[in-house]
């Protein structure tokens, strides 16, 4: 039985057979009801977070359009901002999708080294999926040369995978703080799913299952996915 990697590689070879050398950028194929993305290597290599060499030549911009979050991590504090703070989850103010596009347009007038437009918060992008997806759509239409990058905790990811693929997001990072409910129960104060609050190991178990489902769906669509795991000091007794 052929695995997904072989199938995807065959699809890419088929594209090359039909069109010759592929132009730089994204190419989409529909497989049944699912849309699959393929990107030329030269296009993907410009992401400074996924390619060490690119970090010396290219930069990224994070757009703060998603203020709400569906989980509360015990270590998370987003209530402050300062001149020396550069984490994606901290911002001076939240922008609307149109304001974000205007900001990028003005930025590109002065910076030609920005290759990635990312959304990572300041809450969770998929908790405010309408704002996040609208911003990505507007940016893709206005700046087709830029890579689109999403960072999420994964809780609300599965139901939006089709839209993420359709719009043309090329990179997705899923933050995975724990892989077992026992550890996750010590990290998350609560998890809100389906208009209900879950605490402790129950919430961590739901979050873990949703993360796994979202990552699986993204990989089935041939997306580039990274899991990020921050180093935490926990008392496990």
């Amino acid at each position: 039985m052929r695995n997904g990697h072989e199938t995807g590689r065959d699809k890419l070879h088929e594209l090359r057979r039909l069109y010759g050398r592929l132009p730089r950028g994204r190419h989409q194929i529909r497989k049944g009801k699912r849309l699959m993305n393929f990107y030329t290597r030269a296009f993907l290599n410009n992401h400074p977070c996924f390619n060490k060499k690119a970090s010396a030549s290219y930069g990224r911009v994070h757009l703060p359009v998603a203020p709400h979050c569906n989980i509360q991590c015990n270590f998370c504090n987003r209530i402050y901002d300062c001149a020396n703070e550069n984490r994606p989850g901290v911002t001076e103010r939240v922008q609307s999708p149109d304001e974000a596009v205007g900001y990028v347009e003005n930025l590109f007038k002065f910076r030609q080294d920005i290759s990635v437009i990312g959304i990572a918060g300041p809450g969770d992008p998929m908790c405010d999926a309408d704002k996040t997806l609208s911003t990505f759509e507007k940016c893709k239409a206005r700046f087709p040369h830029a890579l689109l990058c999403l960072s999420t905790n994964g809780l609300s990811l599965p139901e939006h995978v089709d839209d993420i693929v359709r719009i043309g997001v090329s990179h997705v990072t899923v933050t995975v703080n724990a892989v077992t409910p026992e550890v996750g129960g010590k990290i998350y104060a609560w998890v809100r799913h389906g208009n209900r609050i879950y605490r402790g190991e129950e919430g961590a178990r739901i979050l873990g299952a949703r993360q796994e489902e979202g990552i699986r769906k993204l990989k089935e669509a041939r997306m580039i996915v990274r899991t990020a795991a921050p180093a935490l000091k926990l008392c496990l007794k």
Side-chain angles (χ1 to χ4, degrees):
M1 185 173 180
R2 312 179 77 182
N3 59 40
H5 177 72
E6 290 173 334
T7 302
R9 186 168 54 191
D10 290 345
K11 291 285 187 180
L12 189 57
H13 288 166
E14 179 66 10
L15 273 178
R16 287 175 175 153
R17 185 185 68 79
L18 293 173
Y19 302 110
R21 185 173 180 178
L22 294 176
R24 185 178 182 273
R26 177 180 64 136
H27 306 273
Q28 288 189 328
I29 295 176
R30 184 169 296 279
K31 183 181 179 183
K33 294 183 179 180
R34 183 171 295 279
L35 198 62
M36 302 173 68
N37 281 332
F38 294 88
Y39 298 86
T40 57
R41 186 177 297 276
F43 185 63
L44 296 177
N45 280 349
N46 290 342
H47 198 309
C49 304
F50 287 74
N51 186 342
K52 186 177 180 179
K53 292 182 179 179
S55 63
S57 304
Y58 295 96
R60 64 183 181 181
V61 57
H62 282 275
L63 302 179
V65 297
H68 302 106
C69 197
N70 43 19
I71 69 174
Q72 178 59 57
C73 301
N74 288 321
F75 60 83
C76 185
N77 181 357
R78 297 187 302 274
I79 64 174
Y80 67 93
D81 178 35
C82 74
N84 298 318
E85 187 58 77
N86 61 2
R87 290 176 299 160
V90 178
T91 184
E92 184 174 324
R93 73 179 187 89
V94 175
Q95 297 175 332
S96 70
D98 287 333
E99 287 176 323
V101 173
Y103 175 82
V104 175
E105 189 165 17
N106 187 59
L107 177 66
F108 281 168
K109 293 178 181 178
F110 303 95
R111 295 282 299 271
Q112 286 74 49
D113 60 334
I114 302 297
S115 62
V116 180
I117 298 172
I119 300 179
D124 184 78
M126 294 293 92
C127 188
D128 283 310
D130 54 339
K131 297 182 178 67
T132 296
L133 296 175
S134 175
T135 303
F136 275 142
E137 283 190 301
K138 292 174 184 291
C139 285
K140 194 63 178 179
R142 183 66 185 85
F143 317 108
H145 63 283
L147 294 166
L148 301 182
C149 184
L150 169 70
S151 181
T152 175
N153 61 42
L155 182 62
S156 297
L157 176 61
E159 56 264 40
H160 299 295
V161 168
D162 288 344
D163 285 329
I164 291 170
V165 175
R166 173 184 57 80
I167 291 170
V169 175
S170 59
H171 298 71
V172 178
T173 295
V174 180
T175 301
V176 180
N177 294 315
V179 295
T180 65
E182 293 77 15
V183 175
K186 299 178 183 297
I187 296 175
Y188 307 112
W190 50 259
V191 171
R192 185 177 67 250
H193 178 58
N195 296 320
R196 180 179 172 185
I197 298 292
Y198 298 89
R199 302 182 186 277
E201 293 185 15
E202 185 180 18
R205 186 175 294 107
I206 292 171
L207 176 59
R210 297 284 289 175
Q211 290 173 334
E212 183 177 349
E213 180 185 359
I215 292 171
R216 176 179 54 78
K217 287 185 174 181
L218 287 170
K219 293 310 298 177
E220 288 175 352
R222 304 293 297 170
M223 295 288 292
I224 297 177
V225 184
R226 177 181 67 169
T227 56
L232 305 173
K233 184 177 180 180
L234 297 175
C235 177
L236 299 179
K237 294 183 179 179

